Each structure stands twice: as C-alpha cells, then as structure tokens.
Amino acid sequence: MKSWKIIVWAVMLSAVLPLGLVYWQPSLFTCLLLGVWVAAVLAFSFLYNRRHYEEELRIQEKTLQQAANRTLNHHRHDWMNDLQVLYGYIQLGKPDKSVQCVERIKERIALDSRIAKLGVPSLVFYLQSFRTYRSSLELEVQVEEGLQLEDKLSPETGDELTSVIMQTVRAYQYSGLVPQGEARKLRLGFSQEGRDILISFEGEGDHGNPELLQGQIYNIVQGKIMKAEQFQPSTSYVELRLPLEM
C-alpha cells in the first residue's frame, strides 16, 4: 500500500530537477524541458494511480467472490446434513423425529428469509456469512417478522449500521477469555419500536468486564446517528437505537 505512494511521490519530486535548471539557467530549452517533464510526471501519476485502483478493485472483487462461494458451500453443507438426518429418521420409521427435523428446517428457512428482507446488502451478507468463519463466538440472529430497512435507511446509513454491528460483534468476540474448544454465544436481535430500529446484543458466557465492554461499544457509536442504551447493569446486554429517516 505504501510502496505505490512512494513511487508516485518520487516521480513527482523528480520535477525538481528541471525546475532547478530553469532557476539556474533560464532559457527556452530548460522551460520546454520543464513543461515536458511536468506533463510526463502528471501522465505517469494518473496512469499509475488508475492502474493501482483497478488492481485494488480486482482484489476486492475476488475476495467478495471467495466469501460468497464460502457462504454458499457452508449453506449447502448445512442443508445436506439436515436432509441426511431427515432421511435417516424416515428410514427408521420415526415420524415424530421427522416432523421435528422438518420444523427445524422451516425455522432456518424463515430466519434466512427475514434476514434477507432487512434489505441492507452489506448487513445481509455479513449476517449470512458470519458462521462460515472460524470463530470463538456463535452468533444467533433474531429478526422481527416483517421488519424491512431497505426503504427506511439511506445507503450511507445502512453501511454505517453494518459497520457498527460488525465492530460491536468484534468487541464481544474478543472480550474475556474463552477456554480452548469452547465458544460463547451472542444473541443479535433486530426489531422496530415506533420510529426507531432497535438492535440488541446479549452475550452468554464470560465476556470479561461488562463495564469495559459497554464502554467500547459506546466509543463505537460515538458520532454516529445511532445511540447505545444499556438496561441491565453489570451484564453483557447492550441495545442500539437507530432513528428512522422521516
């Protein structure tokens, strides 16, 4: 990241050479040399910067594609496991267990549908892909039936909401100590109360110092449109309140 900036600055600073010639030996030749040199520097900087940003876009696109493939493969693996369990119950002639398995599948489909209907692409992708990453935190998402944010939030506010949620989840993830092989659970809930969207975080297990965790979350939302509220002292429960655009 820094190397390409150093190259650009070095090329731009090279214009000092013909500028020095113009200063010490002003002539038509040195002035033309300075003009050609500056034009070449500007052209090089423009082309080099464009090439760099195009490469950055290709890397981001590839990273996004890899994340999408990983998410699809993870969901496919989950569905295959569920179908194998259901098929096993059917073969064993256990209709009660089969019905329970189908109900679990229906609940997961309904949850995925409610998450998708939130309508904020960055947020939906983050929630759907979180479980594909190896993490010491198990994220349990709950979305109020019928909640949609696409027509209620501007794209900028939606991206800001996603960023705050990601940072808050990360704060829970790295708070406290987790014994090897164990995972903590974090319940992330979305609901609407009047003209406000409520996002609740409730952690299970040891999340270290609750006051320190809540302080980190208050710092995350500082200067943002949403505000953090805490209704259960000395616990790892925090609620964010996001006012809807009028």
Side-chain angles (χ1 to χ4, degrees):
M1 179 67 180
K2 292 182 179 180
S3 60
W4 74 273
K5 290 184 177 180
I6 292 175
I7 293 174
V8 172
W9 276 107
V11 171
M12 294 180 68
L13 288 174
S14 69
V16 172
L17 295 175
L19 184 62
L21 288 174
V22 171
Y23 180 78
W24 291 107
Q25 295 183 356
S27 66
L28 178 61
F29 174 76
T30 55
C31 289
L32 288 175
L33 177 63
L34 175 62
V36 172
W37 197 297
V38 170
V41 166
L42 292 176
F44 175 84
S45 300
F46 173 77
L47 293 174
Y48 193 85
N49 280 327
R50 188 175 69 175
R51 213 172 143 190
H52 171 76
Y53 284 118
E54 287 175 351
E55 182 64 23
E56 285 289 319
L57 287 175
R58 281 194 292 269
I59 293 174
Q60 292 177 8
E61 183 180 2
K62 184 178 180 180
T63 302
L64 182 60
Q65 290 172 347
Q66 291 174 341
N69 288 333
R70 185 168 54 246
T71 301
L72 289 173
N73 287 333
H74 192 278
H75 281 280
R76 179 183 59 80
H77 185 266
D78 286 346
W79 289 121
M80 289 300 297
N81 285 343
D82 290 336
L83 290 175
Q84 287 174 358
V85 172
L86 177 59
Y87 184 64
Y89 285 143
I90 293 174
Q91 284 186 315
L92 294 172
K94 295 184 176 181
D96 292 342
K97 293 289 186 180
S98 299
V99 170
Q100 292 175 7
C101 185
V102 171
E103 289 299 325
R104 286 197 301 270
I105 294 175
K106 286 173 60 179
E107 289 175 2
R108 283 184 51 197
I109 293 175
L111 175 59
D112 286 343
S113 177
R114 291 196 297 272
I115 291 176
K117 288 179 179 178
L118 285 174
V120 180
S122 56
L123 177 59
V124 172
F125 183 78
Y126 172 71
L127 296 177
Q128 295 284 21
S129 63
F130 182 85
R131 57 184 176 181
T132 66
Y133 297 93
R134 294 181 179 179
S135 171
S136 59
L137 187 71
E138 178 184 346
L139 189 63
E140 179 183 312
V141 182
Q142 300 170 344
V143 181
E144 184 180 83
E145 185 67 39
L147 180 61
Q148 296 185 11
L149 303 178
E150 183 176 11
D151 57 345
K152 300 174 182 176
L153 303 179
S154 66
E156 294 77 14
T157 303
D159 290 339
E160 182 178 284
L161 173 62
T162 303
S163 176
V164 168
I165 290 176
M166 291 174 62
Q167 292 180 65
T168 303
V169 170
R170 194 176 299 118
Y172 275 93
Q173 183 176 350
Y174 294 106
S175 63
L177 298 175
V178 183
Q180 189 173 4
E182 295 186 11
R184 289 169 297 185
K185 180 181 289 187
L186 174 64
R187 291 191 185 91
L188 171 59
F190 296 84
S191 61
Q192 183 171 352
E193 183 180 276
R195 295 292 304 172
D196 295 340
I197 297 297
L198 303 181
I199 305 100
S200 62
F201 299 83
E202 183 177 6
E204 287 186 2
D206 180 19
H207 286 277
N209 187 332
E211 287 77 13
L212 178 60
L213 175 62
Q214 291 161 12
Q216 292 175 339
I217 296 172
Y218 280 112
N219 288 334
I220 291 172
V221 301
Q222 187 174 13
K224 305 293 193 304
I225 190 174
M226 63 204 73
K227 22 178 216 182
E229 299 177 352
Q230 195 277 121
F231 300 100
Q232 299 178 14
S234 302
T235 67
S236 56
Y237 178 90
V238 174
E239 191 170 71
L240 304 182
R241 183 177 293 270
L242 173 63
L244 295 175
E245 295 183 350
M246 300 301 292

